[in-house]
Amino acid sequence: MDWIRFLQGVGEVAQGTASVMAVRRLLDLDDNTAFARIADFVESSGTAEIDAFDGVLLSTATGEIDLHARARLIKFYAFFKMLEYMKFNRFRGFPH
């Protein structure tokens, strides 16, 4: 067994789980606080973390059943993409 690859996979799952939890916690916050958290995250994170969060936020928003929560998540996603654009000075596309 390739333990290095296995442990990398475990780390990716843990990071993905943390991202899902962070996205779900945004719904517990008022909009202004959620926007501030998203801004802090984008400002302080590297490309890999931003890419991972992008995928989780988009999939959570599009998969949300509650219409009010979905609308808020889409609003958060649009804000996230604007901040990402400002950080990298270009539109980086959508996650695959």
Side-chain angles (χ1 to χ4, degrees), residues 33-46:
T33 304
F35 288 143
R37 295 266 173 93
I38 293 167
D40 289 343
F41 171 78
V42 171
E43 182 180 323
S44 65
S45 297

Side-chain angles (χ1 to χ4, degrees), residues 9-25 52-53 56 60:
V10 169
E12 289 171 8
V13 168
Q15 182 181 12
T17 302
S19 293
V20 170
M21 290 172 49
V23 169
R24 300 305 306 172
R25 278 192 295 253
F53 190 74
V56 171
T60 304

Side-chain angles (χ1 to χ4, degrees), residues 46 63 66 72 75 77:
D66 179 89
R72 288 187 73 216
K75 182 170 45 173
Y77 186 72

